[in-house]
Amino acid sequence: MGTDEATEKGSSRARAFAVRQWAVWSLPTRLVGPVLLVEATSLALVVLGLFGHPPLTPGQLQVAVVLCLLGIAHTEVALGVERVRRRVTDGNHVDLSSVWTFAAAVALPASYAALVAVIVHCHLWWRAWRLRVPLYKQVFNTATVVLACLAAATVLERAGGGTDPGSDHQLWALALALLVYTTVNSCLVAGAIAVSTPEANLSKVFAPWDENMLEIATLCLGALTAVALGINPWLVLLVLPPLLVLHRAVLVRQLEQAASTDGKTGLLNAAAWHAQAERALRRVSRHDGARGVLVLDLDHFKLVNDTHGHLAGDQVLAAVADALRTEVRDRDLVGRFGGEEFVILLGGLEGSGTAELEAVGERIRRRVADLRVEIPTPDGPLTVAGLTVSIGAAISPAEGGDLRTLLQIADTALYTAKRAGRNVVRMGFTVPSHHAVQHSPHLSAAAGEPPAATG
């Protein structure tokens, strides 16, 4: 090893131990305090618990070792699947390690259950997440799990079931401990997201309902694991096969979601939006109310890319996508057709639907015009403002309509809005000519072809 290389490695190690250069200080100032408080609290409670509790009995020590080994074995067997899941996951991530950490909370004293959680999570991070999850994030995530274990174990101890592996916990006590575990863990993570992103809504702060159900399912497996350990430790091996199958099933679902999602905005991509919109129109009935489509195009978006760069343009697109989601209901379909074009299918419109559809379009137009997108740069924050959007709208016939025809009408209305000076909403009422259909970039995108730039 050369002198320069040795010096460089030495300086890297020095930076790693330099407190002022820790990555945690890159967090927003309002978030640093709560994060450090959560971590310090978890550490203090574990240390106090270890000093205030007698050593583990041989049976408890055996349970702790078995759970650590099973958690490590689970990570090693599912390593490839977990790495892929982490790569395709955006936001809250359920890693399924709660099977072992909750089992520890049920079968062990609180502080020792927390130690099992630390060992399992540290190994999981080192083997599967190290390249994608910064250390400071992992420390906070582990601290939330530690506090969840402490809370759940304390509930069971207060319920009178004891902490021996063979303790006869009542079903209500297990259910309460499960609820406390997931509430503590979820609320701490949600609180960190809410503090770091004040404008985030509930759907961003808390995981989607299916992710929450997955977490509850793993906690139930954890409770069964603890019960199996109390009956016969070898029975716990029966938990691994269904857990690995569940791991792969979740991966398939995540890959399907990734395949239907636009990477820059998180909206449905063109193909997925078109398929879901077709199904929605086929299901239409007289009781569903009118349905309408909005086709939107950011005005002069090329200037944003040319002036501030494509990374800034991507952040603007993401901000516009958030604005669209905010102005419509969860059941409405919002998609990106590529470039700076978006499309929305709205259902359950009142009356003929025309007035309500135009009102939604106007709300979106005003919201986009009011956007101020903050973009960090080496020279300080950059604010992109003055965005506008042109919108074309169309109402589906009461008896149900063909999606392609509906898009043709809305697309022609969009170009009417462009010719009217942009930053306006126009309602379409007539079917465009065959020539107009052939040259519509929005229809090409819906059919899976690359859209043309419209500016």
Side-chain angles (χ1 to χ4, degrees), residues 30 69 129 155 190 244 246 277 423 436:
R30 60 180 177 272
L69 292 177
W129 301 345
V155 167
L244 295 175
L246 179 62
N423 192 28

Side-chain angles (χ1 to χ4, degrees), residues 288-367:
D288 291 335
R291 294 177 183 265
V293 163
L294 296 175
V295 177
L296 310 93
D297 190 288
L298 282 175
D299 299 322
H300 305 299
F301 179 70
K302 187 175 183 297
L303 291 177
V304 176
N305 287 331
D306 292 344
T307 305
H308 305 295
H310 288 276
L311 292 179
D314 291 346
Q315 293 188 52
V316 169
L317 290 174
V320 171
D322 288 340
L324 300 185
R325 277 189 290 253
T326 301
E327 291 296 340
V328 300
R329 300 157 298 188
D330 290 340
R331 66 184 181 185
D332 297 323
L333 297 178
V334 186
R336 181 183 177 219
F337 267 13
E340 61 271 26
E341 296 114 12
F342 301 87
V343 64
I344 306 174
L345 176 68
L346 302 100
L349 302 176
E350 296 181 357
S352 66
T354 301
E356 186 175 355
L357 186 61
E358 285 186 300
V360 173
E362 278 295 331
R363 288 205 313 267
I364 291 173
R365 185 192 64 78
R366 289 193 299 268
R367 189 177 187 91

Side-chain angles (χ1 to χ4, degrees), residues 95-173:
D95 54 49
L96 278 68
S97 65
S98 300
V99 171
W100 317 115
T101 57
F102 186 67
V106 173
L108 297 172
S111 295
Y112 292 98
L115 288 181
V116 171
V118 169
I119 292 172
V120 171
H121 267 257
C122 285
H123 177 263
L124 179 59
W125 174 77
W126 182 260
R127 293 290 288 144
W129 301 345
R130 180 163 42 103
L131 299 179
R132 292 189 171 272
V133 180
L135 179 59
Y136 72 88
K137 286 188 177 181
Q138 179 60 26
V139 172
F140 176 76
N141 290 336
T142 302
T144 64
V145 175
V146 165
L147 291 176
C149 284
L150 293 173
T154 301
V155 167
L156 291 171
E157 290 175 9
R158 293 290 183 268
T163 56
D164 290 327
S167 295
D168 184 19
H169 293 294
Q170 297 294 323
L171 180 60
W172 68 266

Side-chain angles (χ1 to χ4, degrees), residues 90 111 141 150 206 212 231 257 309 356 383 389 430:
D90 181 22
S111 295
N141 290 336
L150 293 173
F206 290 97
N212 290 316
I231 298 173
Q257 289 178 344
E356 186 175 355
T383 301
V389 63
T430 58

